[in-house]
Amino acid sequence: MDRRTFFKKAGMAGTGVVAASALASPAIAQSMPKITWRCTSSFPKALDTIYGAAETMAEFVKGATDGNFEIQVFAAGEIVPGLQAADAAAAGTVEMAHTASYYYWGKDATYALGTAIPFGLNYRQQNAWLYYGGGNELLNEFYHTEGLHTLPCGNTGAQMGGWFRKEINTVEDLKGLKMRIGGMGGKIIEKLGVVPQQIAGGDIYPALEKGTIDATEWVGPYDDQKLGFNKVAQYYYYPGWWEGGPVLNAMFNKAKWDELPAAYQSVLDAACRAANADMMASYDYKNPAALRQLVADGAQLRPFSQEILEACYNAAMETYDEINASNPTFKKIYDNQLAFKKDAYLWAQLSEYTFDTFMMIQQRAGKL
């Protein structure tokens, strides 16, 4: 039974058949008006998983509203360049954007907290903090001052540390390295001598191929294989300490969000939650096979040394102290997230970490 038939029959049931049927259509029209929005993405269509989260969200919205609320998704560059997506939404050029908040941290460091900060939260912890720890409410207090309203709409999980033309064994090896790195990670690794570059996903390969940069990070095996980084850089490092659980953001023009019927706001919230879970599941399914193929094609897997990780962690803590001293909005949200993180890792080390470690031992012993 389609939606219109259901409502029509429901209206005719019981007494007042004529009155109910006469009122049914106008009532539905008022609560489910025809609306078409444009969503500009920060990502190219070729990166089907990260770009696809916006399309997944749009499909759920269209289906839940019987086609009355339609969101048209445009790839990076079709309306505005990828790194201008949030600006376009705030300005009203489009109604919404699908992007990573930390791309805009140069305007205000608080933007970084909406996606990921170095040595921050993992995927599950991000969801817990955003949905139940008041994180999204705190972030929207800030975003509203920027003309935006935001919902989580995707996550890649912990990322890889990127592709390097040469081995990186010590902090000394980082000095002078030109690296494409997103968000606040660039500011932190700059303290160790790296020259950070912020380049949109579709422009990274030519920069690495031409030697404009010496290294790059993006997401993980599935996307990295699609982008072909292994063809121009051999060493593949892990983990991406700057992105333990980066959130992708649906950013709405605040005025347009406020104009939506409450039912449509609820549908968008549910659709973004669905896309959030779907993206992570998709990456978890695709990354293992992609990693095996990358290694078979010659990629050299390398862990960052403990020396490098410790140096980066210390640089991150120093950076947060500096930002907290001058940016009270950042400090308010950072302190809230930090308090949650301390408790979250107390729990995780008993549950997830112990279980996963045991299972990995079985795998290495050939029992899995």
Side-chain angles (χ1 to χ4, degrees), residues 205-228:
Y205 182 90
L208 190 60
E209 183 182 36
K210 294 173 184 176
T212 306
I213 54 176
D214 306 307
T216 187
E217 58 80 34
W218 177 243
V219 172
Y222 180 72
D223 280 358
D224 292 356
Q225 184 183 40
K226 275 182 166 289
L227 291 170

Side-chain angles (χ1 to χ4, degrees), residues 97-119:
H98 184 241
T99 186
S101 179
Y102 71 5
Y103 287 159
Y104 315 99
W105 78 274
K107 297 197 298 181
D108 189 311
T110 309
Y111 275 100
L113 290 160
T115 293
I117 59 173
F119 301 102

Side-chain angles (χ1 to χ4, degrees), residues 288-330:
L291 181 61
R292 283 195 297 269
Q293 189 59 53
L294 286 169
V295 171
D297 291 340
Q300 301 294 309
L301 281 175
R302 297 286 189 274
F304 283 126
S305 68
Q306 194 67 20
E307 174 194 345
I308 288 175
L309 290 175
E310 290 284 356
C312 292
Y313 183 84
N314 292 337
M317 298 306 109
E318 179 183 322
T319 300
Y320 300 144
D321 286 343
E322 293 167 358
I323 298 173
N324 284 335
S326 60
N327 189 328
T329 302
F330 180 95

Side-chain angles (χ1 to χ4, degrees), residues 36-53:
T36 300
W37 273 13
R38 297 192 303 168
C39 171
T40 185
S41 173
S42 283
F43 313 106
K45 290 181 180 178
L47 297 177
D48 57 307
T49 305
I50 198 165
Y51 169 83

Side-chain angles (χ1 to χ4, degrees), residues 74-94:
F74 295 86
E78 290 184 341
I79 298 178
V80 295
L83 298 182
Q84 296 176 22
D87 299 325
T93 304
V94 292

